[in-house]
Amino acid sequence: RVHENPRSVAVVRQKDIEKQAPDSIARLLEDMPGVDVADESVAGMKRLRIRGESSRRVTVLVDGQEITDHSTYGTPMLVDPAGVERIEVVRGPSSMLFGAKAIGGVINIVTKRGAPKPIQLEAGGSYFSATRGRQGFLAVSGTVGAFDYRVSAGADRHEDRSVAKSRWAPTGKLANTAYGNENYYGHLGYRFGEANNHYLALKVERHNLSSKGWAGVPVPNQAFTIDLPKRDRTKVGLFYDVTNVSPLIARMHADVYYQTIDRIFKNDVAVRMTPTRTVAVQSTSDDGITNIGGAAQIDLTLLPHHYTIAGVQALTDRLDTVKGSTTVMTGFGPFPITTRTSSRDKARIDTLSAYVQDEWTLPYHFKLTAGARLYNTRSSLDETTVAARANAPERTDTALVKSLGLTWSGLDNTVLRASYSEGFITPTLLQRYSSTTAGGQGITYGNPALKNETSHNFELGARYRNDVLLLDVAGFYSKARNYINTTRCLAVSATCLTASTLASQAIYYTNADRATTFGMEALAEYSLGASGFTPYVSGTVIRRELEQANLRTFNSDTPLMSGRLGVRYETTWNSVQIWSDLFVRGGMGVKSTYYSSAGALTTEKTPRWATANFAVGAKFGPDERFAVNLAVNNIFNTAYRPTLGELPGAGRNVELTARVKF
């Protein structure tokens, strides 16, 4: 249960999901304390940051199975919100069960099963005025005898985003922010056994995304475009669960899955050197990622007052990437000068882990939860067309990740908690073995010698809940090291492998950075009894210091304060359930200090911001068959940008959604 958990956890339930018209899973979580949305200039590819950590340091699971993306920026939320039953979020890397391969936290998206009746038809649609977006889905689900099933399909299309006029968007439009998604989902479950306690399920998912990238404020004499025509995910998963096996075995679970991610990235840069001289570079990357994984877990009650969980996980990630670059120089001679380069790399990483966690109920209302997970990873470059990295060595790493949590529930309705946890993530295959042109700083080369990023995390918290008041407060401190950043080849080293690389001062990945993060998260709600009103507030105060070779700064693109303040209202009138929510969302401005690609120390910043918002909805008809929701966002048309990792926010806009269920 959330109330008794020693970790900072939260659950977004189906009833909350259905009250919104989200264009992504990320928007369902953006008001959760400690959670920020990041899209890195690509509107349809939202990612999540937790406690200031980049999206690459957040583990994203679907039904407990990892989406291993191996991108520079992190894992986007390639899941259809209409097919989600609930979302479980662990802030901080303290979950042994979900997997500790994270520093910021873990997000587990649980998909829907079949409806309880033999056949149920669901349909819904949404309209987003900020993007002239349309979204719709259709689903059929049910339970027939021992079988349950669900089949659904959905799609959405969005045009360029309308925003309030600002220095980021003088015209009120963000060019190249259009995107579209297609989603397909299938579930088939079978329950069996004498006690009806065995459950076997097959799930199939397909998500297609095409998008463009916002190039930012135009730069004189330079043209810059990003196109992502393909970002697709396909997964087939098989699950088996059995409960109440024996007095000593409470539950057993096993699953296997096969997943592919296909993406195409195109980047065009043209620079006018003089009125007659132009250099144009077109870069492309065509990546294919294959994940094959499985897990087995057993829950034991071997000793009185103990609940013990043990399990193993295995995952193989394979990357096949083709890079291409074409440079055209005009005005440097009588004819244009064209040069082309291309490369292909095939790499893999095999991860095997075993974990155990024990929950020990102690006297005087104490409960101790201790766990450990042992990882073994082996990564290798299996094939390459680049002679300089043909002999890249295979890398094997072992890591023991531990967590410890203590709760005390000696006061009515109150749980106090304290925890220590360790986090780690492995470098991506691109960072170790390939190259990338993302980020606009030229070619960045892989580094086979990269170490794992690691962290040590401490947390104190308290939860109070009765019939009218909910309070959840947590303070946290994290120390992380071996962060992967980029540097230039200014001297001969094992990672600067060729004379041409050194001569061009090429960029490569290295373990250069550290980070210290501390802060507080809070959530409070108070129900005003029969009136139906519930005032609430949620927010985060956070400080995050980054350390680089020649730089130590709190300007880490992390807002000092952010949160949401509002009042909800719920009532029933003539069998119609009505709800409304009036709230303000806001945050302090952010700063980001870094060394530019030219080596200059640069600081960017955004101002503080706040938006007023109102939402209202209703459910009515037999079995709450119909639902309608309306949201008016950014009522005063405020120009804002929460962080530099997020696009400027939409201006005044309306979202309308309707659902029907038979």
Side-chain angles (χ1 to χ4, degrees):
R1 295 175 53 191
V2 171
H3 185 66
E4 300 171 353
N5 205 297
R7 309 170 185 90
S8 285
V9 300
V11 178
V12 180
R13 295 176 173 82
Q14 187 174 341
K15 65 177 184 179
D16 301 313
I17 296 172
E18 292 180 349
K19 288 181 179 179
Q20 302 186 52
D23 55 351
S24 77
I25 293 294
R27 282 197 56 197
L28 297 170
L29 306 175
E30 65 181 347
D31 290 317
M32 189 174 291
V35 178
D36 296 311
V37 174
D39 44 35
E40 303 297 346
S41 301
V42 181
M45 205 175 296
K46 293 187 181 296
R47 302 169 170 90
L48 289 173
R49 305 192 311 175
I50 298 180
R51 291 182 173 174
E53 296 290 355
S54 74
S55 304
R56 200 179 66 78
R57 301 181 181 104
V58 175
T59 297
V60 179
L61 313 171
V62 178
D63 296 313
Q65 298 171 331
E66 187 175 346
I67 303 179
T68 310
D69 192 74
H70 288 280
S71 78
T72 304
Y73 295 110
T75 303
M77 301 289 149
L78 304 180
V79 181
D80 180 14
V84 174
E85 177 183 312
R86 69 182 186 276
I87 307 170
E88 304 163 341
V89 180
V90 182
R91 301 190 296 275
S94 59
S95 174
M96 290 295 107
L97 309 185
F98 279 140
K101 199 165 66 174
I103 291 178
V106 183
I107 298 168
N108 185 36
I109 302 166
V110 181
T111 58
K112 291 181 178 179
R113 297 183 179 184
K117 60 177 68 174
I119 183 169
Q120 177 174 284
L121 177 67
E122 299 173 68
S126 301
Y127 172 73
F128 305 84
S129 69
T131 58
R132 295 185 181 179
R134 292 84 62 199
Q135 182 184 52
F137 80 94
L138 179 67
V140 180
S141 62
T143 299
V144 179
F147 291 91
D148 70 287
Y149 67 92
R150 181 179 176 88
V151 179
S152 65
D156 64 87
R157 294 290 182 270
H158 297 263
E159 300 178 14
D160 288 347
R161 181 184 296 185
S162 297
V163 300
K165 292 182 180 180
S166 67
R167 61 185 174 94
W168 302 296
T171 65
K173 277 281 187 181
L174 290 185
N176 296 317
T177 54
Y179 65 97
N181 293 278
E182 294 178 356
N183 300 283
Y184 307 94
Y185 172 74
H187 163 90
L188 179 63
Y190 176 61
R191 191 168 296 279
F192 61 99
E194 291 185 5
N196 213 31
N197 59 337
H198 296 258
Y199 188 72
L200 186 66
L202 174 69
K203 293 178 181 284
V204 180
E205 299 174 64
R206 173 72 178 182
H207 184 104
N208 302 333
L209 167 66
S210 61
S211 184
K212 294 184 179 295
W214 179 57
V217 179
V219 178
N221 299 316
Q222 181 173 312
F224 181 79
T225 61
I226 298 174
D227 187 15
L228 299 99
K230 185 177 185 180
R231 186 70 174 239
D232 302 343
R233 184 179 75 92
T234 304
K235 191 186 86 167
V236 178
L238 186 64
F239 304 80
Y240 170 71
D241 287 275
V242 55
T243 57
N244 302 319
V245 181
S246 73
L248 299 180
I249 301 176
R251 176 176 176 264
M252 293 191 297
H253 167 87
D255 67 74
V256 294
Y257 71 104
Y258 179 87
Q259 180 175 257
T260 60
I261 296 174
D262 299 294
R263 62 186 181 217
I264 296 176
F265 173 85
K266 297 180 179 180
N267 185 192
D268 290 289
V269 180
V271 179
R272 185 177 295 277
M273 312 293 291
T274 69
T276 59
R277 291 186 172 184
T278 302
V279 177
V281 181
Q282 182 185 71
S283 303
T284 61
S285 179
D286 189 345
D287 302 336
I289 300 172
T290 302
N291 311 128
I292 303 173
Q297 178 178 302
I298 185 169
D299 296 20
L300 302 168
T301 52
L302 300 175
L303 298 172
H305 312 296
H306 286 265
Y307 192 92
T308 306
I309 296 174
V312 294
Q313 278 188 323
L315 177 63
T316 294
D317 302 334
R318 298 173 181 169
L319 171 69
D320 186 350
T321 178
V322 178
K323 312 285 187 184
S325 179
T326 301
T327 302
V328 179
M329 303 173 63
T330 57
F332 292 85
F335 304 103
I337 303 170
T338 302
T339 58
R340 294 183 175 88
T341 62
S342 64
S343 65
R344 183 172 188 175
D345 299 297
K346 292 184 178 181
R348 66 182 290 164
I349 180 170
D350 299 315
T351 304
L352 180 65
S353 67
Y355 61 92
V356 61
Q357 176 176 286
D358 183 69
E359 182 182 279
W360 184 10
T361 302
L362 299 167
Y364 306 107
H365 309 286
F366 285 98
K367 186 175 290 187
L368 180 68
T369 303
R373 184 184 280 254
L374 179 65
Y375 279 95
N376 179 267
T377 62
R378 182 174 62 87
S379 59
S380 62
L381 180 63
D382 298 332
E383 184 180 324
T384 183
T385 60
V386 181
R389 53 176 176 257
N391 297 317
E394 181 180 287
R395 179 70 183 262
T396 300
D397 293 291
T398 301
L400 180 64
V401 182
K402 304 173 288 294
S403 73
L404 183 68
L406 181 68
T407 63
W408 181 72
S409 54
L411 297 176
D412 289 343
N413 307 313
T414 303
V415 175
L416 305 181
R417 66 185 190 274
S419 67
Y420 165 77
S421 62
E422 298 170 353
F424 101 106
I425 60 170
T426 57
T428 69
L429 290 171
L430 286 172
Q431 290 172 329
R432 267 196 173 145
Y433 296 118
S434 189
S435 60
T436 179
T437 56
Q441 60 179 5
I443 298 176
T444 302
Y445 292 90
N447 180 357
L450 287 174
K451 301 176 184 177
N452 297 325
E453 299 180 345
T454 61
S455 71
H456 298 270
N457 312 272
F458 303 87
E459 184 174 320
L460 293 173
R463 295 188 183 97
Y464 178 86
R465 182 163 198 163
N466 61 17
D467 294 338
V468 296
L469 177 64
L470 168 64
L471 180 65
D472 192 341
V473 179
F476 56 89
Y477 176 87
S478 173
K479 192 82 172 178
R481 62 175 184 164
N482 290 330
Y483 272 12
I484 297 172
N485 206 332
T486 58
T487 190
R488 289 183 174 272
C489 293
L490 300 176
V492 177
S493 68
T495 52
C496 299
L497 299 175
T498 65
S500 60
T501 297
L502 180 61
S504 64
Q505 292 189 336
I507 302 166
Y508 71 98
Y509 291 107
T510 184
N511 296 102
D513 298 355
R514 297 187 177 195
T516 302
T517 308
F518 55 92
M520 179 173 290
E521 301 161 348
L523 168 66
E525 299 180 1
Y526 185 76
S527 175
L528 298 177
S531 71
F533 288 97
T534 303
Y536 66 90
V537 61
S538 65
T540 306
V541 178
I542 186 170
R543 292 283 279 165
R544 179 171 170 80
E545 183 182 42
L546 292 178
E547 299 178 53
Q548 300 176 355
N550 300 310
L551 177 66
R552 187 169 181 172
T553 179
F554 279 100
N555 298 341
S556 56
D557 197 26
T558 305
L560 172 64
M561 296 179 63
S562 60
R564 173 169 169 162
L565 171 67
V567 57
R568 292 194 301 266
Y569 175 73
E570 296 186 25
T571 189
T572 300
W573 179 74
N574 288 343
S575 301
V576 178
Q577 292 188 25
I578 301 173
W579 67 274
S580 64
D581 193 357
L582 177 64
F583 62 95
V584 175
R585 177 189 290 130
M588 301 290 288
V590 299
K591 292 183 179 180
S592 179
T593 298
Y594 58 92
Y595 286 100
S596 69
S597 57
L601 192 63
T602 304
T603 298
E604 293 185 74
K605 60 182 179 179
T606 67
R608 67 186 67 180
W609 63 280
T611 63
N613 311 268
F614 177 71
V616 63
K619 281 187 175 183
F620 53 95
D623 300 322
E624 301 177 352
R625 179 172 296 174
F626 304 100
V628 179
N629 301 310
L630 172 68
V632 183
N633 304 311
N634 196 0
I635 295 171
F636 299 109
N637 201 34
T638 302
Y640 72 102
R641 190 176 182 186
T643 67
L644 292 164
E646 188 173 355
L647 288 167
R652 183 187 301 111
N653 67 94
V654 173
E655 296 177 354
L656 177 65
T657 183
R659 298 170 183 262
V660 61
K661 179 170 57 177
F662 295 99

